[in-house]
Amino acid sequence: MGMMHRSVPKRSNDSARIVITTIIGIVFGFFLGISVPSLYLTKINLPSSIMQSFDVAITDIDTSTRGDSLEEQGSGHVPKIYVPTNPRGAESLPPGIVVSESDFYLRRLWGEPSEDLKNKPKYLVTFTVGLDQRYNIDKAVKKFSEDFTILLFHYDGRTSEWDEFEWSKSAIHVSVRKQTKWWYAKRFLHPDVVAAYEYIFIWDEDLGVEHFNGDKFIELVKKHGLEISQPGLEPNNGLTWEMTKRRGDREVHKSTEEKPGWCSDPQLPPCAAFVEIMAPVFSREAWRCVWHMIQNDLVHGWGLDFALRRCAEPPHEKIGVVDSQWIVHQVIPSLGSQGESAGGESPWKSVRTRCKKEWAEFQARLRDADKAFLTRMGKKY
């Protein structure tokens, strides 16, 4: 009992010492905290785990006395935003930060972003190509000025060999094996991606362009108000329709006479409101419509040319052929060679068989869609 009694004063002294030390530490820490700017913490090299703890702590601090400093650093309070007129999926973003469209302009990895582009091409030219046709494509590309962006879709997977052409180093290359241009167009030419371009060319690789100039073609398209167009075709074994045959006595034509019984109406395809899918050119507005009409699984595009009139109004005035800028269809079955035998047919015949089936299927889908819409609207089909 005596020993226990003597220990009491010692314990009391220890407790008092701890309390005093704690108070002094708190006071010292407080004055140190208010005297050292919090900004200096960012200059101290601390382990990432500790810095993450600081980040969490900072977000919990009342920022009312800090103005917009934390907001400017991107780590402050995020306002609650809902803008229903924003693009789908972007409703929680302030409209000023939303960028709903894109382009194919090449950017540098250095310098000021605002100084990247010395020239912004206004038109987009796409070719679906294999390496065997590179020299023909080289001739074609040289018919387009710096106002045109060049985009190559490679169906044979060979892209690096194109570097023998200087222009290829600034072109856009997309490589997916054994696909058609409409497959590529549906997947890589969304209207919001190509919105920077006034006109979009979607061309085959087997076109002779000796009598064609891209700038002059665009000039005539604008002059005659064409939303969907193509160069005239020199009559040869690659000519299918009278509408696309070049006329030597005019700049542009928008209608023609076909074989007896081929046209139920002189303002309807193939006598008017018609261009082929071989070398079409679309305005930005027309392409937005056409893109939505392209079917994911009908990759050859057969039948699409007869439906293009739905994307220009009035079609018999807004769709036409530019005669004074003309091309030659060389009829090279390059894509057919990419096919495989089916049912005993040779590869190119198998491809052609599918083309015809797709045409019938597209017509059926369009007819059924028309009927369903009119029925829903209470109208007769």
Side-chain angles (χ1 to χ4, degrees):
M1 287 295 293
M3 292 179 61
M4 291 180 63
H5 182 73
R6 286 196 297 271
S7 66
V8 171
K10 185 175 186 297
R11 182 179 302 170
S12 300
N13 292 337
D14 291 341
S15 299
R17 190 180 299 110
I18 291 173
V19 171
I20 294 172
T21 301
T22 300
I23 294 173
I24 293 173
I26 293 172
V27 173
F28 177 76
F30 173 77
F31 284 104
L32 178 63
I34 65 175
S35 63
V36 180
S38 59
L39 181 62
Y40 290 171
L41 288 174
T42 63
K43 298 182 179 181
I44 302 176
N45 294 323
L46 297 176
S48 60
S49 59
I50 296 179
M51 290 304 298
Q52 290 175 358
S53 299
F54 273 119
D55 290 341
V56 172
I58 288 174
T59 59
D60 292 334
I61 296 176
D62 181 6
T63 61
S64 61
T65 62
R66 299 192 179 197
D68 295 330
S69 60
L70 286 178
E71 187 69 32
E72 292 171 356
Q73 298 175 34
S75 58
H77 173 67
V78 177
K80 294 294 183 181
I81 292 176
Y82 183 78
V83 185
T85 55
N86 277 359
R88 180 183 178 185
E91 293 88 353
S92 63
L93 300 177
I97 200 63
V98 173
V99 181
S100 59
E101 299 174 346
S102 188
D103 56 62
F104 288 118
Y105 299 149
L106 300 182
R107 297 284 180 172
R108 303 175 301 176
L109 304 183
W110 65 92
E112 293 292 333
S114 61
E115 299 174 357
D116 282 350
L117 304 176
K118 296 181 180 179
N119 175 59
K120 289 186 177 181
K122 295 180 289 185
Y123 319 112
L124 176 67
V125 181
T126 74
F127 293 98
T128 300
V129 303
L131 188 64
D132 290 344
Q133 296 302 314
R134 63 189 181 278
Y135 297 116
N136 193 58
I137 293 298
D138 178 50
K139 294 177 182 178
V141 168
K142 290 175 179 177
K143 294 291 185 174
F144 297 96
S145 70
E146 64 179 6
D147 278 336
F148 297 80
T149 293
I150 303 299
L151 168 57
L152 300 187
F153 296 124
H154 298 269
Y155 60 73
D156 61 355
R158 303 175 69 179
T159 58
S160 59
E161 294 94 329
W162 289 79
D163 282 348
E164 69 174 282
F165 307 115
E166 189 62 30
W167 56 262
S168 177
K169 298 174 184 177
S170 59
I172 310 298
H173 297 265
V174 175
S175 177
V176 184
R177 293 177 181 271
K178 296 190 175 186
Q179 299 302 319
T180 73
K181 70 178 182 181
W182 298 109
W183 184 92
Y184 295 114
K186 186 65 173 178
R187 287 148 185 86
F188 298 101
L189 300 182
H190 187 282
D192 289 344
V193 173
V194 300
Y197 305 101
E198 295 178 29
Y199 294 91
I200 299 96
F201 294 60
I202 303 181
W203 281 20
D204 289 353
E205 63 182 335
D206 60 341
L207 304 176
V209 293
E210 181 180 355
H211 305 281
F212 176 85
N213 177 279
D215 289 314
K216 292 180 180 179
F217 179 86
I218 291 293
E219 181 182 335
L220 291 170
V221 164
K222 292 181 177 180
K223 176 182 177 181
H224 292 274
L226 300 179
E227 296 292 324
I228 301 175
S229 60
Q230 73 162 78
L233 287 176
E234 178 67 5
N236 64 357
N237 60 349
L239 182 69
T240 303
W241 307 100
E242 287 295 317
M243 176 62 187
T244 56
K245 183 168 67 175
R246 177 178 74 94
R247 297 183 184 179
D249 60 347
R250 62 194 66 192
E251 291 180 335
V252 166
H253 73 269
K254 302 178 182 180
S255 62
T256 191
E257 291 184 4
E258 262 291 354
K259 300 177 183 63
W262 280 37
C263 295
S264 59
D265 188 316
Q267 293 187 347
L268 293 180
C271 286
F274 179 78
V275 297
E276 293 188 69
I277 58 173
M278 177 196 313
V281 180
F282 304 96
S283 70
R284 181 193 292 120
E285 293 75 16
W287 177 245
R288 183 168 291 277
C289 169
V290 172
W291 184 88
H292 284 89
M293 190 165 55
I294 298 172
Q295 307 291 288
N296 285 322
D297 57 332
L298 306 183
V299 295
H300 289 286
W302 278 37
L304 189 64
D305 38 16
F306 279 80
L308 293 178
R309 61 192 177 91
R310 294 170 180 256
C311 294
E313 185 62 38
H316 62 280
E317 294 182 5
K318 297 296 183 179
I319 301 177
V321 175
V322 179
D323 297 287
S324 59
Q325 294 296 312
W326 48 282
I327 59 177
V328 176
H329 186 203
Q330 299 170 339
V331 199
I332 299 174
S334 52
L335 193 59
S337 66
Q338 297 290 309
E340 295 182 1
S341 297
E345 291 184 316
S346 62
W348 74 268
K349 285 186 177 180
S350 296
V351 171
R352 181 54 63 95
T353 297
R354 171 157 178 161
C355 288
K356 293 178 180 180
K357 290 181 178 179
E358 285 196 7
W359 190 352
E361 177 63 22
F362 181 75
Q363 287 179 310
R365 291 183 188 182
L366 198 55
R367 181 178 61 251
D368 291 346
D370 282 340
K371 184 177 181 180
F373 173 78
L374 293 174
T375 300
R376 188 165 64 249
M377 300 298 293
K379 298 179 181 180
K380 293 183 178 181
Y381 176 67

